[in-house]
Short mmCIF file of all heavy atoms in Angstrom, two decimals:
data_model
loop_
_atom_site.label_atom_id
_atom_site.label_comp_id
_atom_site.label_asym_id
_atom_site.label_seq_id
_atom_site.Cartn_x
_atom_site.Cartn_y
_atom_site.Cartn_z
N ASN A 132 -45.84 -22.43 42.37
CA ASN A 132 -46.14 -23.85 42.12
C ASN A 132 -47.60 -24.19 42.42
O ASN A 132 -48.06 -25.28 42.10
CB ASN A 132 -45.19 -24.77 42.89
CG ASN A 132 -45.33 -24.66 44.39
OD1 ASN A 132 -46.31 -24.15 44.93
ND2 ASN A 132 -44.33 -25.14 45.10
N GLN A 133 -48.36 -23.27 43.00
CA GLN A 133 -49.78 -23.47 43.24
C GLN A 133 -50.64 -23.12 42.02
O GLN A 133 -51.81 -23.48 41.97
CB GLN A 133 -50.25 -22.63 44.44
CG GLN A 133 -49.59 -23.02 45.74
CD GLN A 133 -49.91 -22.04 46.85
OE1 GLN A 133 -49.92 -20.82 46.65
NE2 GLN A 133 -50.17 -22.57 48.03
N LEU A 134 -50.04 -22.41 41.05
CA LEU A 134 -50.79 -22.02 39.86
C LEU A 134 -50.97 -23.22 38.94
O LEU A 134 -50.10 -24.10 38.88
CB LEU A 134 -50.06 -20.92 39.09
CG LEU A 134 -49.98 -19.55 39.72
CD1 LEU A 134 -49.16 -18.62 38.85
CD2 LEU A 134 -51.36 -18.96 39.98
N PRO A 135 -52.07 -23.24 38.18
CA PRO A 135 -52.22 -24.29 37.17
C PRO A 135 -51.06 -24.23 36.17
O PRO A 135 -50.63 -23.14 35.77
CB PRO A 135 -53.55 -23.95 36.49
CG PRO A 135 -54.28 -23.09 37.47
CD PRO A 135 -53.22 -22.34 38.23
N LYS A 136 -50.59 -25.37 35.76
CA LYS A 136 -49.47 -25.43 34.81
C LYS A 136 -49.80 -24.69 33.51
O LYS A 136 -48.93 -24.09 32.89
CB LYS A 136 -49.11 -26.89 34.51
CG LYS A 136 -48.47 -27.60 35.69
CD LYS A 136 -47.98 -28.98 35.30
CE LYS A 136 -47.44 -29.80 36.42
NZ LYS A 136 -46.91 -29.19 37.58
N HIS A 137 -51.07 -24.74 33.11
CA HIS A 137 -51.46 -24.06 31.87
C HIS A 137 -51.27 -22.54 31.97
O HIS A 137 -50.86 -21.90 31.01
CB HIS A 137 -52.91 -24.39 31.50
CG HIS A 137 -53.32 -23.77 30.21
ND1 HIS A 137 -52.88 -24.24 28.99
CD2 HIS A 137 -54.10 -22.69 29.95
CE1 HIS A 137 -53.38 -23.48 28.03
NE2 HIS A 137 -54.12 -22.54 28.58
N ARG A 138 -51.55 -21.97 33.14
CA ARG A 138 -51.36 -20.52 33.29
C ARG A 138 -49.89 -20.15 33.13
O ARG A 138 -49.56 -19.17 32.46
CB ARG A 138 -51.88 -20.03 34.64
CG ARG A 138 -51.82 -18.51 34.73
CD ARG A 138 -52.54 -17.94 35.92
NE ARG A 138 -53.90 -18.39 36.08
CZ ARG A 138 -54.98 -17.78 35.61
NH1 ARG A 138 -54.84 -16.68 34.91
NH2 ARG A 138 -56.18 -18.24 35.85
N LEU A 139 -49.01 -20.95 33.69
CA LEU A 139 -47.57 -20.70 33.53
C LEU A 139 -47.15 -20.87 32.08
O LEU A 139 -46.32 -20.10 31.58
CB LEU A 139 -46.76 -21.62 34.44
CG LEU A 139 -46.93 -21.38 35.94
CD1 LEU A 139 -46.16 -22.42 36.74
CD2 LEU A 139 -46.51 -19.97 36.32
N ALA A 140 -47.73 -21.85 31.40
CA ALA A 140 -47.41 -22.06 29.99
C ALA A 140 -47.85 -20.86 29.16
O ALA A 140 -47.13 -20.44 28.24
CB ALA A 140 -48.08 -23.34 29.48
N GLU A 141 -49.01 -20.28 29.47
CA GLU A 141 -49.48 -19.09 28.75
C GLU A 141 -48.55 -17.90 28.97
O GLU A 141 -48.22 -17.17 28.04
CB GLU A 141 -50.89 -18.70 29.22
CG GLU A 141 -51.99 -19.56 28.68
CD GLU A 141 -53.36 -19.12 29.17
OE1 GLU A 141 -53.45 -18.45 30.22
OE2 GLU A 141 -54.34 -19.44 28.49
N ILE A 142 -48.12 -17.70 30.21
CA ILE A 142 -47.21 -16.59 30.54
C ILE A 142 -45.89 -16.78 29.79
O ILE A 142 -45.38 -15.86 29.15
CB ILE A 142 -47.00 -16.49 32.06
CG1 ILE A 142 -48.30 -16.05 32.75
CG2 ILE A 142 -45.85 -15.52 32.38
CD1 ILE A 142 -48.27 -16.18 34.27
N ARG A 143 -45.34 -17.98 29.86
CA ARG A 143 -44.08 -18.27 29.16
C ARG A 143 -44.22 -18.01 27.67
O ARG A 143 -43.39 -17.34 27.06
CB ARG A 143 -43.67 -19.73 29.39
CG ARG A 143 -42.44 -20.16 28.58
CD ARG A 143 -42.14 -21.63 28.74
NE ARG A 143 -41.72 -21.96 30.08
CZ ARG A 143 -40.47 -21.81 30.54
NH1 ARG A 143 -39.52 -21.33 29.75
NH2 ARG A 143 -40.16 -22.15 31.77
N ARG A 144 -45.28 -18.53 27.06
CA ARG A 144 -45.47 -18.38 25.62
C ARG A 144 -45.61 -16.92 25.23
O ARG A 144 -45.06 -16.49 24.21
CB ARG A 144 -46.70 -19.18 25.16
CG ARG A 144 -47.02 -19.07 23.69
CD ARG A 144 -45.89 -19.48 22.79
NE ARG A 144 -45.60 -20.89 22.95
CZ ARG A 144 -44.57 -21.50 22.39
NH1 ARG A 144 -43.73 -20.85 21.62
NH2 ARG A 144 -44.36 -22.77 22.60
N PHE A 145 -46.33 -16.13 26.03
CA PHE A 145 -46.46 -14.70 25.71
C PHE A 145 -45.08 -14.06 25.64
O PHE A 145 -44.75 -13.38 24.66
CB PHE A 145 -47.33 -13.97 26.74
CG PHE A 145 -47.25 -12.48 26.58
CD1 PHE A 145 -47.97 -11.85 25.57
CD2 PHE A 145 -46.43 -11.70 27.39
CE1 PHE A 145 -47.87 -10.48 25.37
CE2 PHE A 145 -46.33 -10.33 27.20
CZ PHE A 145 -47.05 -9.72 26.19
N PHE A 146 -44.26 -14.25 26.66
CA PHE A 146 -42.95 -13.58 26.68
C PHE A 146 -41.99 -14.15 25.65
O PHE A 146 -41.12 -13.44 25.17
CB PHE A 146 -42.37 -13.59 28.10
CG PHE A 146 -43.01 -12.57 28.98
CD1 PHE A 146 -43.96 -12.93 29.91
CD2 PHE A 146 -42.70 -11.22 28.86
CE1 PHE A 146 -44.58 -11.99 30.72
CE2 PHE A 146 -43.31 -10.27 29.65
CZ PHE A 146 -44.26 -10.65 30.59
N GLU A 147 -42.15 -15.41 25.29
CA GLU A 147 -41.31 -15.97 24.23
C GLU A 147 -41.71 -15.42 22.85
O GLU A 147 -40.87 -15.28 21.97
CB GLU A 147 -41.43 -17.49 24.22
CG GLU A 147 -40.72 -18.16 25.37
CD GLU A 147 -40.93 -19.66 25.43
OE1 GLU A 147 -41.90 -20.17 24.81
OE2 GLU A 147 -40.12 -20.33 26.11
N ASP A 148 -42.98 -15.09 22.66
CA ASP A 148 -43.50 -14.72 21.34
C ASP A 148 -43.68 -13.23 21.10
O ASP A 148 -43.71 -12.80 19.96
CB ASP A 148 -44.85 -15.40 21.10
CG ASP A 148 -44.71 -16.89 20.86
OD1 ASP A 148 -43.57 -17.37 20.73
OD2 ASP A 148 -45.76 -17.56 20.82
N TYR A 149 -43.83 -12.41 22.15
CA TYR A 149 -44.30 -11.04 21.94
C TYR A 149 -43.34 -10.16 21.15
O TYR A 149 -43.76 -9.14 20.60
CB TYR A 149 -44.74 -10.40 23.25
CG TYR A 149 -43.66 -9.79 24.13
CD1 TYR A 149 -43.76 -8.47 24.54
CD2 TYR A 149 -42.58 -10.54 24.59
CE1 TYR A 149 -42.81 -7.91 25.38
CE2 TYR A 149 -41.64 -10.00 25.42
CZ TYR A 149 -41.75 -8.68 25.81
OH TYR A 149 -40.81 -8.13 26.64
#
Side-chain angles (χ1 to χ4, degrees):
N132 65 17
Q133 297 171 318
L134 291 177
K136 290 187 185 334
H137 183 73
R138 186 170 308 267
L139 294 176
E141 284 181 337
I142 292 169
R143 174 185 293 278
R144 178 57 65 187
F145 170 78
F146 283 102
E147 287 175 341
D148 288 351
Y149 83 125

